[in-house]
Amino acid sequence: MRVPLSWLREYVDVQLSPEQLAERLTLLGMEVQGIERWGADWRSVVVGELLTVEKHPYADRLQLTTVTVGSGEPLHIVCGAHNIAPGQRVPVALPGAVLPGDRRIERTEKMGIASEGMLCSGDELHITSDAEGILILPPATALGRDLSELYGDVVLDVDVKPNRGDALCLVGLAREVAAATSATIRWPEIAVEEAGGPVSDHLKVEVREPELCTRFVGRWVSGAKIGPSPDWAQMRLQAAGMRPVSNVVDASNYVMLELGKPTHTFNGAAVHDGTIIVRRATAGERVETLDHVERELTTDTLIIADPRGPIGIAGIMGGFDSEITNATTEIAIESAVFDPVSIRRTGHRYALRSEASLRFEKGQEFRLARIGADRVAQLTLAWAGGALSKGRVDTAPTEPPSARLAFRPARVSRLLGAEISVDEQRSLLRRVGVETEPAPSGARIQVSAAPQPLVVDPGAEQALVAVVPTWRRDLAIEADLAEEIARVRGYETTPAHLPDTLMPAYRPSPLLVREVIRATLAGAGLSEVVTHALVSPLDEARLLWPEDESEPALPASLAAQTGDEIAVTNPLSVEHSVLRRHLAASLLDVLSLNERQGRPDVAIFEIGKRYARVDGRPREWTRLAVLLTGAAEPAAWNRAARPYDLDDAKGVLELLYRRVGMPEPSYVPDPRGFPFHPGRALLARAESGGEAVAGRVAELHPDAVAAWDLRAQRVIVAEVAIAGLDVAGPMRVHVEPIPRFPEVERDLAVIVAESRSAVEVRRTIERHGGVLLRRVRLFDLYRGAPLAAGEKSLAYRLVLGARDRTLTEAEVEGAIEAARKGLQKELGAHLRT
Amino acid sequence: MDFESLSGDLHRLKDLALAEVAKAADPAALDQLQIKYLGKKGEITAVLRGIGALPPHDRPRVGAVANDIGEAVKTALAERGFELRSIVQAQRLAAEMVDVTLPGRTVPRGTLHPIPETVAAIAEVFGQFGFVVYEGPEVEDDLTNFQMLNIALDHPARDLWDTLYVDVPGHLLRTHTSPGQIRVMQSTRPPIRALLPGRCFRYEAVDASHGFEFFQVEGLMVDEGTSMADLKGLLDEFAHALFGPRRTRFRPGYYPFTEPSVAFDVECVVCGGVGCPACSKSGWMTILGAGMVHPVVLQYGGIDPELYQGFAFGMGVERISNLRHAVPDLRYYLENDLRFLEQFR
Ligand SMILES: [Zn+2]
């Protein structure tokens, strides 16, 4: 809301500087977001008096003038307007002047005659909307004065919160200024002179939807003359951000800004039979609104109609056919109260939000319907003349009394954590117009309102009754009064201390496992990224990442196998219109961006969510994704770069499993092909104490890399389900006593068919090695002569030991022999010696 | 064979051996000499083998001479060995000289993204005051995201949250972390001190200061006497922890789910309160919104507002991060340009 201070001062005295006032209002909850110097963009525009006005000798539409600005030689100025005459005082832009829009005025020549400046129209100065004529100033305006000194203003931009519809007007903000400064407020003098017959001679109103239009007040003015409103009024509207239109329309807008009461004025002659009907539209009805758009109405739209059909959408916008035009003489004034929800829905339905609907949506003070009608009538008479018919049409003339709200001062103090005496609370409330009185016996406290109303008996606690001003529709419960007391008193008076109450029980943080993983991976050289959860549906089609395995770390009920995509129904763009079902594509996007920046070596990870719909319900799982490409070790002065490969990703995975207290994962090849390299994809899994972690590691298929327009040779991607992992669980690590007896190492070289996987060989050794076998580690892999084609040799180092003795050679040999036999029997292996 | 001739042989051998040891050029040559003279088939040993031919009274004398000579050769071998090893080592060390001014081998070190880092920093501060972390769903239902937070379907304040809806009936992408308040209250009893970090979504076009995905941290404390003064004290500690000693202020704000509602400002981190473009010349920067939990919200959480009261606060993680790290553009966060991320190394 734009608040010209000169206008505000009409209702309240302001002693403070604009900056001080802005701070006080902000601290009262009316945040001033900007202070604008209105007129600061008129530079070197001064008041002049026309001495002579003559026809331009060479151009019919131009006039030659001489103008004095009080000192110096008279100026010769060529002017295109025709509303000027000698003796008038006018704004003169001197050579070198600057007008709004950074328009510079210089000495020029117009049709052969020099012009030493320019006479200004109201439009050129952004003071009025008149672009045709020169702005004629009052005769007493001081000659030579700078226009910005005379008409300049300071405009505050106030952010009025949605619950304070009452403050969306000058009077409302004047009330806040009064509360902040203890000044008194001056209500505008509203008095009308009625003449002619009763209003019922001209206007009948029938409200068919009293729920949606709780009050309709009508007034009628006959014989008005449409023209511009007074310059001062136009200036105020302009400064407040509203374009002046004509005297009658301006009167309506002026009242909206002054009192917060939207009204509408109709061309009375266009209201058929002088009858206004407030009803819902019928199917197929149409109306052309003031913005020249023909709109088809839905049956839940509340309209203003005459017996022939719609003449406006209630509370939103009037109809074109009943618009005030220059020929209009009969004025019908509508000042109504509409249901806020209905207005809001209608505004959304037609994508039409106006200054009026904005105010209706926030609810209206009931009595303003009457006051607003009178005020518009008063200004119409003053600015457009005519005669006001006697009385008002009023569909609900009984105005409800002020609401009474009981509260407990002790509860206010408890809520704020500050001891505020009863007397102080009463005087603070008085500053916002809330009078208080002792609560009668049986008074009940409104602790909570709809939709969860809670009313309690104050019991032995002292209670007061607050008499809530009719405009403060937001004050409904005890806590609302606490806020009034707090904000008027000023939050700087609220003490600050640390809570000294009971602490909650311990609860392990879900962030902990992520912190462990983040620290581990960053330490391993990977950089963390955070990407969008909303992705393009094309990403899935492009990458064809497989349906995810279950999330074994979660209880079975949450560990869904698959799920459908969840899509946004009102996306901003297709690129971000579905919730991702895996993270890999997001990391490819990051790689793509960095490749374009000349960064081909990328090692990144993200801990984020994937989303899917399972059995019709949305589900979310936290996952870890890793992407490695380019150089694992960049080239340096003394060595070549080493590219990332599958083993790096597996190493990262193994490190991670170790770090979260899981055993080393076992790998199963995943030969699915696209989007993976058919020979370089695997599933990893580890289990421990009822928890399991599943992951996938793969080098991307070259076609998948190409589909992402990447230059990278090899891209390794991993995704691991980490939802539900608990690294904080007590007793994660069990220490094995350090062996007191020496361990024995034996190497075993196993020759197997190429089709046998390393994990099979290792498992077989472990299974047959017996209790003395402590560890098995692969240390060599060999293919080629003297091995046959299709064979490979895997060399393992076996570590054996016992807790209570040094092993004998026979024991060691026995264990090795058992492993050897198992390998031969189960895998057809033979052993190299 | 007599003592004199045998002893003479031994002395000659000794001279010969010492001369050869002195000339030995490497440890291998020394090993050869060791074998040549002192080995089982060595020359000194061979001489001693002739000892049996001597008269018995001469035998100990020759034995003593032989021992002395053997010791002398051993000592010479050891000394020469030490000498040779020193030379070899000195040569190796000389050969191993490097240009120590060359740069070191880079230890790989990743970086941590500022959003989770900021969340961790916030959680650390409030964790010290007993706040425990909860998380709520990002695909939230309308009831919890709005209605239970006292934002009815046609509430004018709904305009404050432009919403992205999803094709799961009754659901939307949460517009704030505040629905977590309801979930925490429904799942636990006071005393409650909860912190709820997470991703949020709004229908908002992307520019330097807006995005449709962003992160928030919500706080909630509910107990019998939890007051605005507790909120103020706690937020002061928080601001000082994250932004250093600066002035702070409460000013009235508006949220449907708190009453009273406040905005929490800290002295501008750019100008220190003098006024600059970054703070719109006000000298203050708003870092979060807060207030006393609205009784309706407590009731939806299953908590009796007559017995309990509490406060809630919510802050934008990017906002906090921007102020701490002077990040000029919100888009940096989700774009993940390594030139940005690596500055946090
Ligand atoms: Zn500043």
Side-chain angles (χ1 to χ4, degrees):
Chain A
M1 164 101 196
R2 290 172 57 88
V3 183
L5 285 191
S6 67
W7 194 355
L8 184 71
R9 286 200 171 93
E10 188 145 312
Y11 315 106
V12 67
D13 290 328
V14 181
Q15 313 290 347
L16 307 169
S17 72
E19 287 74 18
Q20 287 169 323
L21 179 64
E23 190 179 7
R24 296 289 280 275
L25 282 174
T26 298
L27 291 177
L28 198 63
M30 295 291 155
E31 190 187 354
V32 177
Q33 295 184 319
I35 302 174
E36 187 186 316
R37 305 282 155 177
W38 181 253
D41 49 0
W42 315 324
R43 288 215 296 275
S44 299
V45 180
V46 299
V47 179
E49 185 179 316
L50 286 161
L51 300 175
T52 62
V53 178
E54 291 162 22
K55 282 247 171 289
H56 191 289
Y58 316 121
D60 283 350
R61 42 180 200 89
L62 295 180
Q63 309 208 68
L64 299 183
T65 70
T66 50
V67 185
T68 175
V69 293
S71 58
E73 289 292 301
L75 302 166
H76 297 274
I77 295 177
V78 181
C79 175
H82 293 273
N83 67 328
I84 45 176
Q88 287 172 336
R89 305 228 154 157
V90 293
V92 181
L94 303 172
V98 182
L99 297 185
D102 209 26
R103 182 172 166 203
R104 282 156 201 284
I105 305 303
E106 301 297 345
R107 192 181 307 269
T108 56
E109 196 165 288
K110 287 185 177 166
M111 303 298 289
I113 293 181
S115 184
E116 303 166 299
M118 188 180 86
L119 308 185
C120 303
S121 72
D123 185 55
E124 280 161 332
L125 294 169
H126 288 195
I127 290 181
T128 71
S129 63
D130 184 5
E132 297 298 314
I134 298 304
L135 182 70
I136 309 301
L137 303 171
T141 313
L143 213 53
R145 281 286 294 278
D146 208 292
L147 204 71
S148 63
E149 285 171 33
L150 294 173
Y151 294 100
D153 204 345
V154 173
V155 181
L156 303 185
D157 183 8
V158 183
D159 177 32
V160 177
K161 301 292 188 281
N163 63 329
R164 291 298 308 274
D166 66 291
L168 267 178
C169 62
L170 284 138
V171 165
L173 285 165
R175 285 191 196 111
E176 293 292 311
V177 173
T181 62
S182 299
T184 33
I185 176 155
R186 283 186 297 276
W187 184 255
E189 263 179 54
I190 302 173
V192 289
E193 201 174 308
E194 295 174 330
V199 66
S200 56
D201 287 357
H202 300 283
L203 184 64
K204 289 177 286 295
V205 175
E206 183 189 334
V207 174
R208 291 188 191 158
E209 298 287 346
E211 302 267 287
L212 301 183
C213 174
T214 48
R215 189 177 192 184
F216 191 114
V217 177
R219 281 268 193 189
W220 191 276
V221 176
S222 298
K225 187 175 178 340
I226 304 302
S229 45
D231 288 341
W232 63 266
Q234 291 196 37
M235 286 181 208
R236 283 185 172 176
L237 290 173
Q238 286 269 13
M242 217 144 196
R243 199 175 55 86
V245 180
S246 69
N247 43 18
V248 173
V249 174
D250 289 355
S252 175
N253 284 336
Y254 190 93
V255 171
M256 180 171 69
L257 294 176
E258 181 184 56
L259 304 178
K261 177 66 212 142
T263 58
H264 188 70
T265 49
F266 295 93
N267 173 3
V271 178
H272 185 70
D273 205 18
T275 300
I276 284 178
I277 305 159
V278 185
R279 61 171 171 87
R280 288 174 195 265
T282 55
E285 267 187 312
R286 304 173 80 84
V287 66
E288 183 179 350
T289 41
L290 282 174
D291 53 1
H292 300 283
V293 177
E294 167 116 5
R295 295 171 193 275
E296 179 158 350
L297 303 169
T298 57
T299 55
D300 43 7
T301 303
L302 188 70
I303 58 162
I304 309 296
D306 66 11
R308 288 186 302 202
I311 57 173
I313 302 176
I316 309 269
M317 196 175 272
F320 175 69
D321 292 339
S322 56
E323 186 185 29
I324 306 281
T325 67
N326 286 338
T328 302
T329 58
E330 303 298 292
I331 315 287
I333 299 167
E334 164 210 311
S335 179
V337 178
F338 298 112
D339 174 57
V341 171
S342 161
I343 296 291
R344 186 177 155 79
R345 288 187 182 165
T346 306
H348 275 291
R349 189 175 309 127
Y350 299 104
L352 259 183
R353 313 286 290 277
S354 59
E355 288 287 324
S357 70
L358 197 74
R359 287 169 172 82
F360 278 124
E361 277 181 19
K362 292 176 169 55
Q364 287 274 305
E365 187 187 354
F366 202 71
R367 66 183 186 124
L368 271 187
R370 167 181 54 82
I371 297 168
D374 285 4
R375 183 66 166 157
V376 173
Q378 179 189 18
L379 296 180
T380 300
L381 293 180
W383 298 349
L388 175 65
S389 296
K390 284 203 179 73
R392 322 173 182 95
V393 178
D394 192 340
T395 63
T398 310
E399 291 171 2
S402 297
R404 302 171 89 78
L405 185 59
F407 72 103
R408 295 161 292 185
R411 289 292 177 124
V412 171
S413 288
R414 191 180 86 157
L415 198 63
L416 301 176
E419 277 310 317
I420 308 174
S421 72
V422 174
D423 284 346
E424 189 184 355
Q425 293 194 23
R426 298 181 72 167
S427 77
L428 289 166
L429 286 173
R430 194 170 301 121
R431 279 166 64 183
V432 285
V434 178
E435 292 298 331
T436 49
E437 50 195 52
S441 69
R444 311 271 284 167
I445 308 294
Q446 192 87 37
V447 170
S448 186
Q452 296 265 308
L454 175 68
V455 180
V456 301
D457 189 327
E461 285 187 78
Q462 187 193 359
L464 292 174
V465 166
V467 182
V468 178
T470 50
W471 56 87
R472 289 303 301 274
R473 300 172 71 259
D474 59 311
L475 302 182
I477 60 172
E478 194 175 44
D480 293 331
L481 295 172
E483 174 160 66
E484 292 307 298
I485 289 164
R487 76 182 181 100
V488 176
R489 192 170 190 245
Y491 278 108
E492 66 278 8
T493 65
T494 301
H497 59 68
L498 287 173
D500 57 359
T501 49
L502 286 177
M503 297 274 274
Y506 173 76
R507 184 175 192 274
S509 167
L511 300 182
L512 203 58
V513 64
R514 282 171 246 169
E515 293 303 326
V516 167
I517 295 172
R518 295 173 67 233
T520 302
L521 296 192
L526 280 72
S527 291
E528 183 179 31
V529 300
V530 175
T531 62
H532 283 290
L534 286 171
V535 299
S536 164
L538 298 175
D539 284 358
E540 291 236 353
R542 196 150 52 130
L543 190 57
L544 290 178
W545 191 266
E547 278 292 355
D548 271 296
E549 358 33 273
S550 62
E551 307 274 350
L554 295 178
S557 59
L558 281 172
Q561 297 285 331
T562 60
D564 298 331
E565 200 166 72
I566 297 173
V568 174
T569 53
N570 60 331
L572 282 134
S573 69
V574 71
E575 282 80 51
H576 299 287
S577 59
V578 298
L579 284 168
R580 63 182 175 192
R581 288 196 296 174
H582 57 79
L583 278 63
S586 303
L587 297 194
L588 287 171
D589 283 340
V590 174
L591 169 58
S592 173
L593 174 125
N594 283 289
E595 265 196 354
R596 275 178 276 138
Q597 307 302 341
R599 296 292 304 264
D601 304 331
V602 172
I604 50 176
F605 72 97
E606 174 168 17
I607 297 173
K609 279 185 172 174
R610 73 180 187 94
Y611 313 77
R613 184 207 327 258
V614 179
D615 301 330
R617 312 244 345 133
R619 289 271 168 77
E620 303 166 15
W621 301 267
T622 306
R623 309 209 104 196
L624 164 72
V626 172
L627 181 147
L628 304 173
T629 189
E633 286 157 21
W637 55 273
N638 57 349
R639 65 190 180 280
R642 182 179 77 75
Y644 272 117
D645 60 23
L646 198 68
D647 294 334
D648 289 303
K650 283 154 70 181
V652 166
L653 213 66
E654 287 156 19
L655 170 67
L656 181 77
Y657 279 42
R658 228 167 24 242
R659 200 61 197 81
V660 299
M662 299 297 281
E664 204 162 297
S666 60
Y667 301 128
V668 182
D670 181 6
R672 75 174 54 239
F674 196 89
F676 305 131
H677 188 306
R680 296 188 177 186
L682 62 97
L683 296 169
R685 190 181 163 88
E687 281 177 60
S688 165
E691 278 188 354
V693 186
R696 169 192 294 287
V697 184
E699 181 176 321
L700 286 188
H701 195 284
D703 292 347
V705 177
W708 233 263
D709 275 336
L710 297 168
R711 286 192 290 266
Q713 294 289 315
R714 297 184 187 280
V715 179
I716 324 294
V717 180
E719 266 201 50
V720 188
I722 60 164
L725 266 191
D726 171 23
V727 290
M731 304 189 290
R732 261 287 183 198
V733 174
H734 290 258
V735 169
E736 287 285 324
I738 298 169
R740 288 171 52 219
F741 297 93
E743 293 179 329
V744 181
E745 290 183 353
R746 282 286 189 283
D747 291 350
L748 196 59
V750 187
I751 298 164
V752 288
E754 210 38 271
S755 59
R756 295 294 183 187
S757 70
V759 70
E760 278 181 286
V761 176
R762 184 191 153 142
R763 289 249 177 87
T764 307
I765 295 173
E766 282 168 351
R767 217 166 30 245
H768 293 277
V771 291
L772 301 178
L773 180 60
R774 285 198 165 138
R775 293 186 296 282
V776 179
R777 183 171 67 80
L778 178 76
F779 71 88
D780 189 38
L781 172 61
Y782 177 77
R783 292 183 179 89
L787 302 183
E791 280 188 338
K792 64 185 172 189
S793 165
L794 299 158
Y796 290 90
R797 177 148 301 162
L798 281 58
V799 178
L800 300 101
R803 185 165 294 180
D804 54 354
R805 64 190 188 279
T806 304
L807 296 186
T808 65
E809 191 57 30
E811 282 175 314
V812 174
E813 268 314 313
I816 300 290
E817 191 50 32
R820 202 175 272 155
K821 284 200 172 124
L823 288 165
Q824 276 164 349
K825 195 163 147 237
E826 292 185 16
L827 305 180
H830 48 280
L831 305 166
R832 209 169 52 171
T833 42
Chain B
M1 199 53 83
D2 59 16
F3 170 74
E4 265 67 38
S5 71
L6 212 53
S7 163
D9 286 351
L10 283 169
H11 281 286
R12 271 190 301 281
L13 269 178
K14 176 191 170 191
D15 293 342
L16 210 60
L18 292 183
E20 282 194 76
V21 166
K23 275 188 287 182
D26 53 49
L30 286 179
D31 290 346
Q32 291 300 319
L33 292 175
Q34 164 96 24
I35 294 163
K36 182 177 175 187
Y37 292 102
L38 300 176
K40 281 183 185 162
K41 296 172 183 169
E43 292 184 22
I44 293 178
T45 320
V47 170
L48 285 176
R49 220 169 274 134
I51 209 163
L54 290 182
H57 67 274
D58 279 343
R59 291 178 192 171
R61 292 174 60 205
V62 175
V65 171
N67 265 336
D68 287 351
I69 288 173
E71 281 307 312
V73 173
K74 252 186 222 166
T75 305
L77 279 168
E79 282 172 357
R80 181 63 182 155
F82 179 78
E83 216 173 281
L84 281 177
R85 279 196 303 277
S86 301
I87 292 165
V88 168
Q89 190 181 53
Q91 281 167 345
R92 198 188 78 216
L93 294 181
E96 282 175 356
M97 190 185 81
V98 295
D99 179 353
V100 294
T101 65
L102 284 167
R105 182 167 298 144
T106 306
V107 177
R109 167 71 203 169
T111 71
L112 291 171
H113 194 284
I115 284 179
E117 282 294 273
T118 304
V119 169
I122 296 166
E124 206 278 323
V125 175
F126 285 104
Q128 291 201 7
F129 297 103
F131 281 70
V132 292
V133 175
Y134 291 76
E135 288 182 312
E138 292 169 27
V139 184
E140 185 55 276
D141 55 68
D142 190 279
L143 211 61
T144 319
N145 193 77
F146 286 127
Q147 299 182 48
M148 289 186 170
L149 290 170
N150 199 30
I151 312 166
L153 204 56
D154 290 291
H155 198 293
R158 275 220 176 183
D159 291 349
L160 300 175
W161 297 275
D162 291 318
T163 308
L164 288 165
Y165 293 92
V166 294
D167 57 356
V168 181
H171 285 74
L172 41 77
L173 299 180
R174 68 172 173 197
T175 55
H176 45 185
T177 42
S178 307
Q181 291 183 32
I182 298 287
R183 293 181 177 276
V184 169
M185 286 190 279
Q186 286 176 345
S187 68
T188 181
R189 301 284 84 202
I192 295 171
R193 298 188 191 192
L195 208 63
L196 290 138
R199 189 188 294 254
C200 303
F201 302 80
R202 284 194 198 160
Y203 187 94
E204 188 121 40
V206 176
D207 63 27
S209 47
H210 298 89
F212 56 87
E213 286 183 31
F214 56 96
F215 292 80
Q216 281 191 343
V217 176
E218 190 88 3
L220 174 71
M221 175 165 173
V222 179
D223 203 352
E224 285 174 15
T226 299
S227 71
M228 199 67 128
D230 293 322
L231 174 65
K232 206 174 171 188
L234 202 62
L235 292 183
D236 276 349
E237 292 294 318
F238 168 68
H240 295 158
L242 264 72
F243 301 106
R246 292 182 183 279
R247 288 187 303 144
T248 63
R249 74 173 185 189
F250 267 26
R251 61 183 168 83
Y254 171 71
Y255 305 99
F257 36 91
T258 48
E259 188 70 38
S261 304
V262 294
F264 182 59
D265 297 347
V266 296
E267 202 171 57
C268 177
V269 299
V270 178
C271 66
V274 185
C276 70
C279 57
S280 307
K281 295 180 186 164
S282 71
W284 296 97
M285 285 180 151
T286 304
I287 61 167
L288 58 83
M292 301 305 292
V293 182
H294 196 285
V296 165
V297 177
L298 288 172
Q299 283 174 290
Y300 276 122
I303 290 174
D304 183 351
E306 260 298 271
L307 298 179
Y308 294 102
Q309 58 187 37
F311 60 72
F313 56 83
M315 68 186 95
V317 175
E318 290 89 342
R319 169 97 181 136
I320 304 291
S321 172
N322 281 354
L323 296 181
R324 295 178 84 205
H325 304 299
V327 179
D329 190 323
L330 214 55
R331 285 168 290 203
Y332 281 18
Y333 290 109
L334 296 184
E335 232 171 44
N336 298 291
D337 191 319
L338 289 170
R339 293 171 298 178
F340 168 63
L341 298 178
E342 284 172 356
Q343 295 186 42
F344 294 90
R345 208 187 280 275

